[in-house]
Amino acid sequence: MNKDLEILLKELEDIMDITLNSLINIDVSGIERIKNMDINIYHKTKEIETKTINMILLYSPFAKDLRKLITILKIIIDIDRIGRYSYDISLLIPAFAEKGHLGKPEIIPKMVEQTKKMVRIAIESFINENAELAETLQKEDDVVDQLFSRLENAILSYMIQDNENLERGIKYMLIGKYLERMADHAVNMGDNVIYMIKGERRIKI
């Protein structure tokens, strides 16, 4: 099962990279490829779901073994959502085809890299059963939140300067929100890893 999750991690990183490159280069031709990658991720999560459910039915695990299998079922939901958000972002690319970007989209690549880092931490914390690593995700999520706040401020200034920037500005806000949600899913994955290891939920503040 660990190998399956490692493969999914690589595919998530790939779809996020391709989505970012397509966005930066305003390459609408990449949308279909991103859609197919999202579908592939979905099917692989379903395969893992089937394997996991079969293990529960065949072996009737309990305590930590059962928590581990339940954690897998929850993690693949988050993985599927992250892939879907990548596709959602790609659907916004045509909005920039006519007039281009608002300035240089410097913050979005940083959000993508930080979100990729968080997903990697979440998967590694599960594979290595490392609760301490999973607990670092909350601080990593703060970085994404700060970047999103910077993006909002930058885009609002463009929108205030010229009404012609409103549509593209709203699309940028959506992209930032999708990335923020991806990071939230990574945090969810980490919280489930903590529960798997310790049998207790992290207290959210």
Side-chain angles (χ1 to χ4, degrees):
M1 206 71 73
N2 287 356
K3 186 64 177 176
D4 291 331
L5 288 175
E6 287 176 344
I7 292 171
L8 271 178
L9 170 61
K10 178 63 169 60
E11 295 196 4
L12 276 183
E13 291 179 330
D14 287 345
I15 193 173
M16 292 175 73
D17 285 339
I18 292 169
T19 301
L20 176 62
N21 289 333
S22 296
L23 174 63
I24 297 301
N25 297 315
I26 313 180
D27 180 12
V28 295
S29 67
I31 297 174
E32 190 65 24
R33 181 182 180 190
I34 294 164
K35 177 183 178 181
N36 291 333
M37 293 176 76
D38 173 41
I39 292 171
N40 186 56
I41 289 171
Y42 169 78
H43 286 307
K44 288 193 174 180
T45 61
K46 287 302 177 184
E47 289 173 6
I48 294 174
E49 179 183 67
T50 300
K51 288 181 185 178
T52 304
I53 291 173
N54 285 341
M55 289 181 71
I56 293 173
L57 294 175
L58 285 171
Y59 301 108
S60 301
F62 60 93
K64 187 178 178 181
D65 290 334
L66 179 59
R67 291 203 305 272
K68 184 170 185 177
L69 293 173
I70 291 173
T71 297
I72 292 172
L73 293 175
K74 291 184 176 181
I75 282 177
I76 59 176
I77 293 173
D78 290 309
I79 288 173
D80 177 52
R81 291 310 307 159
I82 292 170
R84 178 51 54 90
Y85 282 134
S86 292
Y87 177 55
D88 289 339
I89 289 173
S90 76
L91 294 177
L92 298 174
I93 294 173
F96 306 102
E98 183 179 348
K99 296 180 180 179
H101 292 292
L102 292 176
K104 293 182 178 180
E106 297 173 342
I107 299 175
I108 289 173
K110 292 178 181 178
M111 291 184 73
V112 171
E113 287 304 314
Q114 180 64 16
T115 303
K116 282 170 54 183
K117 177 184 177 183
M118 291 178 64
V119 174
R120 201 175 305 121
I121 288 173
I123 297 295
E124 288 177 0
S125 68
F126 172 82
I127 290 172
N128 298 317
E129 298 192 12
N130 188 334
E132 289 72 25
L133 182 59
E135 286 168 352
T136 67
L137 283 165
Q138 193 59 55
K139 287 187 176 180
E140 297 291 349
D141 188 46
D142 290 341
V143 176
V144 174
D145 291 340
Q146 291 164 9
L147 287 168
F148 182 55
S149 180
R150 285 174 53 194
L151 178 67
E152 281 186 313
N153 292 334
I155 295 305
L156 281 173
S157 67
Y158 281 113
M159 294 167 73
I160 291 170
Q161 288 170 17
D162 190 341
N163 287 339
E164 292 292 321
N165 296 331
L166 286 175
E167 182 182 355
R168 285 177 295 162
I170 291 170
K171 301 300 185 186
Y172 270 124
M173 295 290 194
L174 282 172
I175 291 168
K177 180 56 69 175
Y178 286 143
L179 289 169
E180 188 183 44
R181 288 175 181 170
M182 287 182 188
D184 288 341
H185 280 289
V187 173
N188 287 343
M189 291 161 69
D191 287 346
N192 283 310
V193 170
I194 293 169
Y195 176 72
M196 175 188 79
I197 297 168
K198 297 184 175 182
E200 58 188 35
R201 296 288 181 187
R202 180 178 64 83
I203 298 175
K204 297 185 178 181
I205 300 174

